[in-house]
Amino acid sequence: MNIALLTLGGLALGTAYFGYKKKDPSLSLSNCFLDKLAKPLYNLFVEYHSNSLFQIDYIKEDYIICNTPYEKLYGIELVSNENIEKHIHNETIKELIRDSKDNENGFFYYVILKQGHYQKQYIFSHNKIIVKFLGKYFNTKLLSGLELTNVLYNCFLENSFFIEDKQLKQALHIQKDSLESEPEFLSFKRLAKQAIAKNYKQIDIFQAYKHLEIKESNILNLFNLNFTGCIWFYIDLSSSHIKNQISRLLNYAKFVGDKRPFVELEQSYHNKECDLALINAIAFLKDYDEEVIGQMGSNLKVSFIPKELKRSLHLQKNPIKYRDSEFDFLVKEEFLYNFIASIHKKHTLKPDIYGIDKQGGFINYSFSGENKNPHIAIIATSGAGKSVSKLKIMAQMIGLNFSNGECSNLGKGIGQVRLRSYDIGFSDKKFIQLLKANTKNKVAHLASSFYDFSYNLLHFPHKENQELFEADLTFNVDLVSIILESQNSEALNINEVAFFKESIKKMLKNKEYQRYRIMNLKEKNKEDYEKLLALNYKESDFLENVKEVEFKHLQTPLLIDLVKWTNKESKNMQLKEEDRKTYESLARKLDAIEKLDLFSNFDKMDITDVDVLSMDLNNFKESSLFAPIFLSIFQKTYLKDREFALKCKDKNIPAPKLFYAIEEAKNYFRVPYFTTMYEKVALEARKYNVHLCFIMQNANHIPKGILENLATRIFLLTPDKKLEMINEAKESLDIPKNVEIGLLNTQEYEMCIWYSYGVFHMKFNINEDEMKIFSTNPNE
């Protein structure tokens, strides 16, 4: 039968009828001679259409219309916020059965699809209520009609997939590219025919013929099996269909055996003593190991056998349109308990990183897009892979090409990323060398040296902006407290903080501080001194008269000026005695800091505006002043980044992401006041798209309150330290059950990521070239 001829015949008859109708409006088809021709031809057309291959007739917003008895087809993807196996609860199954059993279309399809990194699970049904019910359970939306069309094509196993822009994309995507393009359902029809033709040679079919007395399916293990294929379960909850199946079994038993078990089953079901489901399952496999069949059945609680009978029908018509009812079998509702499970984390549209899950399926993740805040903790013992993971995260975020050092996503542009790495132990060395080797990258490296370090506590680059000035003033006040605590002194009390701020504001407003000359730079700021002389300035010239913007950091008071101011106020008899004592104690504390000589002079650090800034803090690690030195360097970088973020805000465009990697976090939090400092910085940093990433060996290396407010917590465990790490994590954090399960099932070099909405596993694919850059092993 030729569909084209049928269509032309139908059109011809239609044209003839409407011609007669125009001539005689009273004409009725039922009393016309065309009635005898049109109706049979129309019925023949409908019969041919319904018996042909599975076809999509229309694509709607959230469903498709296909040539099946129930036309509308809906679908969802089974995904959640985790990739820890999550079975549907028994009570949910009972509710689903109760709500579906009275409907003729109370059935659905559970589909498992595995093709390399493309690993998916779906629910399809003609019953929208069933699909929405299960979608609500997994917190996932209905697939659009176009998405459903593409999914059904992918089930033929003839598409291919590739990773691009941290997304898994399909090579062939059914869509209407232009107005003159053919409708998507026609593309589906053509592509489906081609796929079916190939599948005659490539696909083996296996039919389930009975259920197994296994308590729980193992979908996680199923995806670990070595196969490419699509497995379909037809699950029918309709009581009328179940009764028909029981009657069929009874009639058969009358002739060949004892019918009593089926009579009892019929009576039990009629009396609502049990609920049943009708099951039919079929697997289309290619590229599989022979032993997979038995394991596949055990994981799915059924037994499979090879199937050759009706092979053509199975391949041509799609399980939605055709199933071999000879292989239908009944199960009690308990079979559906612990059967359908979500094991895949949903993909995000704007990911930062990507990798594979336990089964080799593609997975991606966004620190800011999937969390309440973008901040991160990487927790791993030595040798577990924390430095490698940190570097791989940074490499993926900037789109690093390891062969030539080019970065597709590095820079100030919208959606791009800039890196700031505070390194201890030289783990960044090869990575930074690769980036610097490519001249397109703006990279700077600061070596740790006490000689090169000098931070002016009274330098405020944004005095004209009241909001920023107050933020910077608060930062420097907190920094003073951290310096004091690092030297086993008391932090500033509330009165001292108030007088510190008031004194600085008065000094700056009235310019009541020493007027420094270029000669004052000769000893401590030799580089600036020589630059100014080269510009034809004289030693006796005042710094405030230097015109070049580059030297603006020299036109400020110094800490000694504030010491003198507070000393003077402590002797001011016009003040209350209590206030004089506060000034006296403040002056004493500031004088102690001034004598350290690291915070007494003009700034010496040249923090350039670059896309990658690596700071080696190794030589500061053992110093008691490590935390304040780090904060001073951090502030210099952060101020520049904040300034650019504010410019972006003024232009109403998104600021680039800023990834701050901070090694050996315990070194910072050993100073108690650092916690207070961090909380303020982290709150503000979020506004400027800053991602703070703390790397530590144990969860107890930073305060619990801080760790709880790092939305992404990445654990890397070694087999010998796994239980110890888990116990430490339990003590440091209130770990929920799903996270504990995730940690217990974490393999070596696999990340267990606990974030705002759940927990999941992810592993990076790292090749030899990448490992040469990442490795910190001196013997490699």
Side-chain angles (χ1 to χ4, degrees), residues 607-633:
I607 305 293
T608 54
D609 186 24
V610 292
D611 295 325
V612 180
L613 183 60
S614 173
M615 286 143 282
D616 172 21
L617 304 180
N618 206 63
N619 291 337
F620 295 134
K621 182 173 65 173
E622 303 304 326
S623 171
S624 61
L625 288 165
F626 177 84
I629 288 173
F630 159 74
L631 278 170
S632 302
I633 298 172

Side-chain angles (χ1 to χ4, degrees), residues 59-65 73-79 109 111 113 118 120-125 128 131-132 134-136 139-155 170 320:
I59 296 174
K60 300 294 186 178
E61 184 178 351
D62 60 1
Y63 65 93
I64 59 172
I65 293 178
L73 184 71
Y74 303 87
I76 57 167
E77 182 182 354
L78 286 191
V79 289
Y109 302 88
V111 182
L113 179 56
Y118 185 78
K120 301 285 185 178
Q121 294 188 93
Y122 298 101
I123 296 290
F124 302 140
S125 180
K128 187 175 183 179
V131 179
K132 292 196 77 172
L134 292 173
K136 184 178 180 181
N139 192 27
T140 185
K141 296 179 181 178
L142 291 176
L143 294 169
S144 71
L146 190 58
E147 287 173 331
L148 190 50
T149 300
N150 278 279
V151 166
L152 288 170
Y153 174 69
N154 292 339
C155 289
Q170 53 192 64
I320 295 173

Side-chain angles (χ1 to χ4, degrees), residues 352 365-378 397 657-660 678-694 702 704-714 733 753-757:
D352 292 310
Y365 178 63
S366 170
F367 297 115
S368 56
E370 299 186 75
N371 279 295
K372 297 172 182 176
N373 69 60
H375 306 313
I376 308 140
I378 298 177
M397 289 186 76
K657 289 183 179 179
L658 293 150
F659 188 84
Y660 281 64
Y678 163 77
E679 288 172 346
K680 295 176 181 178
V681 170
L683 185 64
E684 185 188 63
R686 184 180 177 183
K687 296 189 297 185
Y688 304 122
N689 215 0
V690 170
H691 297 45
L692 298 174
C693 177
F694 289 101
I702 65 175
K704 180 179 179 180
I706 297 297
L707 195 53
E708 286 178 339
N709 285 309
L710 300 172
T712 301
R713 282 149 279 185
I714 301 174
L733 291 160
I753 302 178
W754 178 18
Y755 73 120
S756 295
Y757 303 106

Side-chain angles (χ1 to χ4, degrees), residues 173 242 266 393 404 498 501 676 679:
H173 187 78
I242 292 168
E266 182 182 44
I393 287 170
N404 56 20
K501 290 183 176 182
T676 303
E679 288 172 346

Side-chain angles (χ1 to χ4, degrees), residues 13 29-30 34-46:
L13 284 170
L29 185 63
S30 60
L34 289 173
D35 184 33
K36 296 180 180 180
L37 292 174
K39 277 191 174 180
L41 189 57
Y42 173 75
N43 290 335
L44 186 61
F45 175 80
V46 170

